Amino acid sequence: MNSTYTTKMSESAKLNTVEKTALVLLGMGEEAASQVLQHFSRDEVQRVTHSMAKLSGIKSDNAKEIIQHFFDDFREHSGIRGASKEYLSNTLRKALGNDLAKGLLNNIYGDELRNNMQRLQWVDAEVLAKYISQEHPQMQAIFLAYLPAESSSDVLAKMPPDYHDELIYRIARLQEIDHEVAKDLNELIERCIDHISMTQSAPISGAKQAADIINRFEGNRGQLMELLKLHDESVVKEIEENMFDFMVLGRQHEATMVRLVQEVPISMWALALKGSEISLQQAIKRSMPQRMVKTLEDEMAVRGAVAISQVEKTRQDIMQVVRELSDNGDIELLLYQEPTVE
């Protein structure tokens, strides 16, 4: 084996499967690549597009080799192109009879619907809830049933609470949907996507983003806030409101933290500190008796991996306790260290 071929093989072998996929998509062009990405899951889209953005320095020969390998695989596995719905329906009914054909077709088109619904998992839950609110309850239930479970739960939460039980009941009773309903659902999906593409902008909370930046700022936060007040004090108040974050507990006076340790159960600290910065964990542990620190560490270890949503909820609950104590004057809460003079 000559050295040139060995070098080419070793360079292309450095790319993992995701990177090779990214390279093939880049070679397809924007329109074709976008159609392929519609059939990826949310996680797959994130990994592949991240890889597409980072991909660089690929030699032409190596790119051709990878793309050629893709088409070799395609020719080996593709065979005849997929049949149309009408052709497949007629063929299966003639071969299997109406009952068996109906079940098989429902499975096939159910998968198609789920793939189509994947496109909506990027849309804000509140937007989806508003859009389907005018549909018949049964169509709403079908829509939620085919939407990925996490997205479906978020959309349900944005709908009227006194209506949740009926929708869940309708979803639980679903067994299958006929072709006409599947067609209606597909049309609803397309209308929803068209509506969102024309009306939805990219939302951003500037005050929240500014607060997050300042909370993590390593410089003089107090001086920065004083300078911001020269621009607009109302903006500073809005930033301060958004700075009320779990991270601020890492820079409180000892007396404040001792009181919080007394008010918040150890089980809540064990959850809230999961995945937090080491400096924050150390700041809170310094305010605890040694036996409490040991109990905290043991409980964190026993809990193992926990859902991020559960951690966030616990942090919010703790910050609610902090807010109440601060509002009542029981603790002095520092969002940042204000400048001082002698």
Side-chain angles (χ1 to χ4, degrees):
M1 185 178 293
N2 63 51
S3 59
T4 302
Y5 182 75
T6 304
T7 301
K8 285 174 63 179
M9 287 294 288
S10 61
E11 287 179 358
S12 62
K14 290 178 183 177
L15 297 180
N16 59 36
T17 303
V18 175
E19 291 168 332
K20 290 178 180 178
T21 303
L23 192 149
V24 172
L25 288 171
L26 287 170
M28 287 182 175
E30 293 179 8
E31 185 174 349
S34 66
Q35 292 180 17
V36 173
L37 286 172
Q38 289 176 9
H39 299 282
F40 284 18
S41 70
R42 182 173 184 166
D43 178 62
E44 289 168 342
V45 171
Q46 288 176 328
R47 286 189 291 139
V48 170
T49 53
H50 182 68
S51 184
M52 289 170 75
K54 293 198 307 179
L55 210 59
S56 63
I58 306 298
K59 293 181 179 179
S60 177
D61 288 347
N62 293 326
K64 289 178 181 177
E65 178 187 343
I66 292 169
I67 294 173
Q68 184 61 52
H69 183 68
F70 165 77
F71 282 109
D72 288 342
D73 278 352
F74 174 77
R75 279 194 294 270
E76 182 179 346
H77 295 100
S78 62
I80 300 172
R81 292 184 65 185
S84 68
K85 289 184 181 180
E86 184 179 0
Y87 176 88
L88 190 58
S89 177
N90 291 337
T91 301
L92 288 174
R93 290 182 192 283
K94 290 177 181 177
L96 304 175
N98 284 340
D99 291 340
L100 289 176
K102 183 178 179 182
L104 184 54
L105 285 167
N106 284 341
N107 287 336
I108 294 171
Y109 297 138
D111 291 339
E112 181 184 344
L113 280 170
R114 289 185 185 90
N115 289 334
N116 210 3
M117 292 293 282
Q118 290 279 352
R119 300 157 65 190
L120 296 178
Q121 64 186 333
W122 300 94
V123 180
D124 183 76
E126 189 168 358
V127 173
L128 286 179
K130 286 181 179 178
Y131 191 81
I132 67 170
S133 62
Q134 303 303 316
E135 298 293 326
H136 186 279
Q138 188 65 11
M139 180 57 73
Q140 293 179 21
I142 294 170
F143 185 94
L144 292 174
Y146 278 99
L147 199 62
E150 183 177 353
S151 299
S152 184
S153 177
D154 291 340
V155 173
L156 182 65
K158 300 296 182 181
M159 302 183 80
D162 57 353
Y163 197 45
H164 290 177
D165 59 323
E166 180 178 348
L167 285 173
I168 292 296
Y169 176 75
R170 287 176 179 270
I171 292 171
R173 293 294 302 271
L174 287 174
Q175 296 292 329
E176 60 183 21
I177 62 174
D178 61 33
H179 301 316
E180 287 303 314
V181 176
K183 180 181 176 182
D184 290 343
L185 180 56
N186 265 322
E187 290 177 354
L188 174 61
I189 295 168
E190 294 300 330
R191 291 199 309 273
C192 184
I193 291 171
D194 289 343
H195 170 76
I196 290 162
S197 64
M198 289 188 296
T199 61
Q200 193 173 30
S201 57
I204 181 169
S205 172
K208 180 66 170 69
Q209 183 71 358
D212 288 344
I213 292 170
I214 295 170
N215 271 334
R216 291 160 177 79
F217 183 56
E218 295 296 331
N220 191 324
R221 298 186 191 91
Q223 185 179 52
L224 178 57
M225 296 298 284
E226 289 299 316
L227 291 172
L228 283 172
K229 287 178 182 178
L230 298 177
H231 291 274
D232 190 331
E233 289 200 13
S234 64
V235 171
V236 173
K237 288 180 181 178
E238 192 175 354
I239 292 173
E240 288 177 343
E241 183 67 23
N242 281 280
M243 285 178 69
F244 201 82
D245 183 87
F246 190 69
M247 281 189 62
V248 303
L249 298 186
R251 51 177 179 264
Q252 301 306 311
H253 293 314
E254 182 180 354
T256 297
M257 291 309 302
V258 168
R259 179 63 187 274
L260 288 179
V261 165
Q262 295 171 350
E263 294 288 336
V264 177
I266 197 75
S267 58
M268 289 182 69
W269 287 119
L271 258 179
L273 290 175
K274 281 284 188 177
S276 64
E277 296 176 3
I278 297 299
S279 58
L280 175 59
Q281 294 187 30
Q282 291 174 340
I284 292 173
K285 288 177 182 178
R286 281 196 297 269
S287 305
M288 295 179 171
Q290 195 56 43
R291 58 178 178 76
M292 187 180 289
V293 173
K294 181 65 167 62
T295 302
L296 173 65
E297 291 174 346
D298 289 345
E299 186 155 347
M300 289 179 69
V302 168
R303 285 181 180 274
V306 294
I308 293 176
S309 59
Q310 191 177 2
V311 173
E312 288 298 329
K313 175 64 168 58
T314 306
R315 290 178 180 180
Q316 291 170 12
D317 291 343
I318 290 176
M319 292 311 293
Q320 183 58 38
V321 174
V322 173
R323 184 181 290 275
E324 290 172 0
L325 290 171
S326 178
D327 290 345
N328 293 335
D330 295 327
I331 60 171
E332 180 186 358
L333 187 70
L334 296 178
L335 294 179
Y336 53 89
Q337 188 70 46
E338 295 186 17
T340 58
V341 293
E342 293 292 343

